[in-house]
Amino acid sequence: MNADRTLFTLVSILISVSVMLSYSLASYTTLLFNVNEFHFAIRQAVFAVLGIGIIFILSRLNPDKWLKPIGFTLFFGSLIAMIAMPFMPESFVSAVGGAKRWIKVAGFSLAPVEFFKVGFVYFLAWSFSRKLGDHGGMGLGSEFKRFAPYGVVFLGAMFIIAFLQKDLGQVVVLGMTLLFMLIFAGSSFRFFLTILGGIFMAIVIFIFTAEHRILRIKSWWALAQNSVLDLLPASLAEKLRVPVEVEPYQIGHSLNAIHHGGLFGVGIGNGTFKLGFLSEVHTDFVLAGLAEEFGFFGVVFVVVVFLWMLQRIFKVANRAKDRTIYLFSIGIGLILSFAFLVNAYGISGITPIKGISVPFLSYGGSAMLGAAFGVGMVLMASNKVDMNGDNKL
């Protein structure tokens, strides 16, 4: 087999960094929960080994035989699990804020949505490669008819994830992935803009039908308003201004942590904003913790490795002759990209925080294993791709 060795190495580097950060950034959390100082690092190391193992095993498989069954198993298996979770007893599922998102397995909690994302991308790639193609000048109505079955599937998934699991961030990532995959599958730009407008309206409706989402938007706006309202007339600016008491302390501490790190950081283990100022910084705020302890150059290193990983994934897509492999590789690259951007924009105050983890960096087994399946399947697919003499596994 000739899977891409460079892609495997880059992902392994990111996973290794996540284990180190899970130890360094979780020092306060271990005290808070009264667990061993290596508690989170050991658990992350277990999932790191499993993740790298999954990627390696998948990379050795024949895509003609295994890609389709694994993709559909992830899609339908995780979909059924998400539908069943609200009806399961709490002895089998973990509930946070009234939402059941995790299934308890052997002392660990796994989130089916992380595996559903990979299965959803495969389902779209498999189906788009058969049903969609160049729009060939067809009207907007015809494109909507062609898209309708996928819209129904997405709306069903959106209902489960956004309403039952109260996880709008995942819907945003899935929606953007679906939208851009449509373009690569051959839809017109006019149809792209129409669907984009529909998704935007749906997100607005979701926000204004849940009080906690409204408060999150107000919290974000409290930080961003000064730079925006200065550009507007005074009368309008006053109407849009929110009280300072809702200022988002999490984003404020995140920005201070990033600033405190400077160019070279304060050193591994020496960060201060992880000491109760940022809640569980090793998860959603891992980039802020990285910036404080390793500085600007530490962040640049991680971003370069991440971008290089994406380049290898898109290279597999670019050189694939099989249309399903082409669309699937693009979809995995997009879903990883959007997750990284949504998290980075959230911790820097550019957009509201969505609770999306950084692929391969944030603490968490479900996100690690889900992303591992995605990259592993791309590596499996790369066995059929001529990478022009590049390093192979």
Side-chain angles (χ1 to χ4, degrees):
M1 293 295 179
N2 295 309
D4 185 5
R5 182 183 301 170
T6 302
L7 175 56
F8 178 81
T9 302
L10 293 169
V11 175
S12 298
I13 290 172
L14 291 175
I15 291 175
S16 300
V17 171
S18 79
V19 176
M20 177 186 65
L21 292 176
S22 294
Y23 171 71
S24 173
L25 300 180
S27 55
Y28 176 80
T29 310
T30 58
L31 295 175
L32 184 65
F33 291 105
N34 193 30
V35 293
N36 184 278
E37 64 175 316
F38 296 103
H39 175 81
F40 294 104
I42 292 173
R43 293 169 72 91
Q44 189 72 348
V46 170
F47 283 112
V49 172
L50 288 174
I52 292 175
I54 287 171
I55 294 171
F56 182 79
I57 291 171
L58 291 177
S59 73
R60 314 301 290 182
L61 300 179
N62 184 344
D64 292 328
K65 182 178 180 181
W66 291 101
L67 192 62
K68 184 177 178 179
I70 292 175
F72 277 118
T73 298
L74 290 173
F75 177 67
F76 288 109
S78 54
L79 181 62
I80 292 171
M82 289 193 299
I83 293 173
M85 283 171 68
F87 308 101
M88 292 181 180
E90 291 194 5
S91 58
F92 291 101
V93 296
S94 299
V96 177
K100 294 181 177 180
R101 297 182 186 177
W102 293 275
I103 296 177
K104 298 176 182 177
V105 180
F108 295 90
S109 296
L110 295 178
V113 68
E114 297 293 349
F115 304 93
F116 174 77
K117 291 190 295 186
V118 179
F120 182 69
V121 167
Y122 181 79
F123 167 76
L124 292 179
W126 175 84
S127 190
F128 282 0
S129 66
R130 286 154 177 76
K131 303 294 185 182
L132 301 188
D134 188 359
H135 56 89
M138 67 169 58
L140 195 61
S142 298
E143 286 200 78
F144 267 109
K145 289 180 181 178
R146 190 171 67 168
F147 171 73
Y150 309 106
V152 172
V153 172
F154 178 71
L155 288 175
M158 186 168 61
F159 174 79
I160 295 170
I161 299 170
F163 279 109
L164 300 183
Q165 299 193 349
K166 299 180 181 179
D167 195 353
L168 183 60
Q170 298 287 9
V171 172
V172 171
V173 171
L174 285 172
M176 291 191 296
T177 302
L178 167 62
L179 190 61
F180 280 87
M181 284 185 70
L182 280 170
I183 289 292
F184 288 104
S187 294
S188 67
F189 188 64
R190 179 176 59 173
F191 182 70
F192 170 85
L193 292 178
T194 304
I195 296 297
L196 178 62
I199 291 177
F200 177 78
M201 291 297 297
I203 291 174
V204 171
I205 292 172
F206 278 129
I207 290 173
F208 286 98
T209 53
E211 185 178 355
H212 72 280
R213 295 189 185 116
I214 296 175
L215 292 175
R216 185 175 293 177
I217 292 293
K218 286 183 177 180
S219 179
W220 162 75
W221 180 244
L223 183 71
Q225 63 182 347
N226 289 334
S227 57
V228 176
L229 296 182
D230 288 342
L231 304 175
L232 301 178
S235 57
L236 179 59
E238 286 306 313
K239 293 179 181 179
L240 296 175
R241 192 175 300 278
V242 299
V244 294
E245 56 263 25
V246 297
E247 183 177 352
Y249 70 93
Q250 283 280 67
I251 297 177
H253 287 318
S254 175
L255 292 173
N256 288 333
I258 295 171
H259 175 75
H260 188 220
L263 290 177
F264 302 102
V266 298
I268 183 171
N270 294 327
T272 55
F273 284 89
K274 65 186 178 184
L275 304 177
F277 298 100
L278 286 172
S279 60
E280 300 190 34
V281 64
H282 56 299
T283 57
D284 296 345
F285 288 91
V286 66
L287 290 177
L290 173 73
E292 184 182 18
E293 297 199 350
F294 295 91
F296 172 77
F297 290 109
V299 174
V300 167
F301 170 78
V302 165
V303 170
V304 167
V305 173
F306 197 89
L307 290 176
W308 194 358
M309 175 191 72
L310 293 177
Q311 183 267 337
R312 301 302 298 189
I313 292 174
F314 289 132
K315 189 171 185 176
V316 172
N318 185 52
R319 299 193 178 183
K321 296 179 180 179
D322 185 299
R323 188 164 171 78
T324 299
I325 290 176
Y326 164 73
L327 290 173
F328 176 73
S329 299
I330 285 176
I332 293 299
L334 288 173
I335 214 163
L336 294 175
S337 303
F338 291 139
F340 190 98
L341 289 175
V342 167
N343 182 281
Y345 286 171
I347 68 160
S348 56
I350 298 174
T351 61
I353 296 174
K354 293 292 191 299
I356 296 292
S357 61
V358 183
F360 297 117
L361 281 181
S362 292
Y363 172 81
S366 298
M368 174 78 74
L369 298 184
F373 268 101
V375 172
M377 291 169 70
V378 171
L379 278 169
M380 184 200 308
S382 73
N383 287 314
K384 288 187 65 175
V385 176
D386 179 14
M387 297 298 281
N388 204 19
D390 292 346
N391 288 337
K392 304 293 184 179
L393 278 175

